[in-house]
Amino acid sequence: MYKLICLDMDGTLLNSNGKISDRNIKAVKLAHEKGVKVTICTGRVYTSAAYYGDLIGVKVPIIALNGAYIKEKDRDEVIYKSVLGKEKCNKILNILKKYDIYPHFNAPDIIFTEKIIYSSEGYSKQNEELPEKWKIKIQVSKDWDSIFEKYGDSIIKCIAIDDDLEKIKAAKKELKQHDEFEVVSSSSNNIEIMCKGVSKGRAVEVLAGFYGIKREEIMCIGDNENDISMIKYAGLGVAMGNAEETLKNIADFITDNNDEDGVAKAIEKFILNN
């Protein structure tokens, strides 16, 4: 019997319109009723993850920022965090600037950017519809020295996005040459940079330890490169029908896509119908 389900968000729990289907919500709630713990494990900032966690009734800690931050949703308790710090932030900035790529540095509840573009633009549009409690703070500034001085010990992840995939590939290759960084992607046009050793898989392991849940009692569902570590770690690793081929190749099971209630179908098959 599985005791913990960890769900990626974009491309997994959320459909192509960024919404959670009624069937997915129902499946999560029925799993809860069977005593299964369900959490979100996402690359998004904590505030955004917690908002969607609220929608599906998540009652356990949220894993945000690709596993670099784990926090109780309705309490101040932070279970785990791994910060980049000023020196690493500067190193990342210099590499991205070399390729003329806009960085977005993420604290749990703040996004720092030079320009409202790509991910910050997406969060900005979401803010228009969100209650004050769930709005994501976006700070626009080119004074990175001041930001890193003030917030370096809060910044957990950097995400870099560009439509020029060759620039992204080149920057990613250079960043991977630095041993102090964990470098992954959640789509073909982005790079996500955290401290070495940070991953969704490691975070799932930490959360499982927090609850005394065994590895074989965990089901993880995802769709992209940054989900590989948790799919490998899980007792049952599930790839979405719309997942990257690399993820499908290592998954134990492939469910339907994110526009056809793939999450619900996996939960029904392995949790609700057993």
Side-chain angles (χ1 to χ4, degrees), residues 20-65:
I20 307 174
S21 72
D22 290 340
R23 186 170 175 181
N24 279 351
I25 291 174
K26 182 182 177 183
V28 167
K29 289 187 174 173
L30 288 172
H32 276 310
E33 288 172 14
K34 284 192 77 168
V36 180
K37 298 183 186 299
V38 183
T39 194
I40 282 172
C41 188
T42 178
R44 291 194 185 212
V45 294
Y46 172 78
T47 309
S48 179
Y51 166 69
Y52 285 100
D54 207 53
L55 290 182
I56 63 170
V58 163
K59 296 174 176 64
V60 300
I62 297 276
I63 298 171
L65 295 157

Side-chain angles (χ1 to χ4, degrees), residues 5 13 17 23 29-30 37 41 43 57 74 88 105 125 134-135 154 158 196 204 209 214 217-218 235 254:
I5 305 171
L13 180 63
N17 297 318
R23 186 170 175 181
K29 289 187 174 173
L30 288 172
K37 298 183 186 299
C41 188
D74 299 315
K88 289 188 181 74
F105 285 91
K125 286 178 180 175
W134 299 116
K135 288 186 192 297
S154 299
C158 177
K196 190 69 177 177
V204 171
K214 297 173 185 173
E217 297 171 329
I218 301 168
I254 300 170

Side-chain angles (χ1 to χ4, degrees), residues 110-113 116 120-121 123-124 127 136-140:
I110 311 174
I111 294 169
F112 303 97
T113 181
I116 302 294
S120 57
E121 185 175 23
Y123 282 127
S124 183
N127 277 348
I136 291 94
K137 298 169 192 166
I138 302 171
Q139 187 169 319
V140 181

